[in-house]
Amino acid sequence: MRRVLLSTALVLLVGIGATGGVGVLQADESDAAEARAARRALAAGEIQPFGRLLAQVERECRGRFVEMELEEDDGRWIYEIKLLGPQGDVAELEYDAADLRLLEAEGRRLRALECVPPGTPD
């Protein structure tokens, strides 16, 4: 499973905290290849833009966006997002990046988010 972290702010914070800024400028070659693959998938229409998913989540969920990752697993692209629920619980939601369909949800008090249907796998 390959993971592509597309949250620039998080990458900068982690890189600066760990290396004083030098690591941010020296990207790992495999990370760069994964980022190129994600950009190609977006350009080819294989995945939806993250902004579209974020707008959907903001419309449908009672939670605040915390973090996002895009990963490819056996040829299938998955967006993983973390939300802070209304009662302070962290939830992780997985969406199919091609059609933005909710696939899985993990966390406590998921019903409070109001966007996780009963029976959603966890």
Side-chain angles (χ1 to χ4, degrees):
M1 181 182 309
R2 297 183 305 161
R3 291 182 181 256
V4 180
L5 184 62
L6 298 179
S7 173
T8 304
L10 182 59
V11 170
L12 289 174
L13 289 174
V14 170
I16 290 170
T19 65
V22 176
V24 174
L25 300 175
Q26 299 174 352
D28 183 296
E29 194 57 39
S30 66
D31 290 342
E34 290 169 355
R36 284 191 300 273
R39 284 192 296 275
R40 279 193 302 272
L42 179 62
E46 296 171 15
I47 63 175
Q48 298 292 316
F50 174 68
R52 190 168 293 158
L53 175 60
L54 184 58
Q56 174 182 319
V57 169
E58 288 177 340
R59 260 191 332 272
E60 297 175 357
C61 295
R62 288 190 61 223
R64 252 182 17 192
F65 173 78
V66 175
E67 177 181 275
M68 181 279 296
E69 291 182 15
L70 175 63
E71 65 182 31
E72 183 187 21
D73 187 6
D74 296 325
R76 182 180 192 181
W77 289 94
I78 306 289
Y79 279 118
E80 287 185 4
I81 64 167
K82 288 187 182 173
L83 295 178
L84 186 61
Q87 298 169 338
D89 298 305
V90 175
E92 185 174 300
L93 307 178
E94 291 188 4
Y95 289 85
D96 186 311
D99 61 12
L100 305 183
R101 181 174 36 93
L102 179 63
L103 301 173
E104 292 184 23
E106 293 181 1
R108 294 183 40 188
R109 294 189 273 249
L110 292 173
R111 294 180 81 173
L113 294 174
E114 297 181 3
C115 62
V116 179
T120 300
D122 54 45

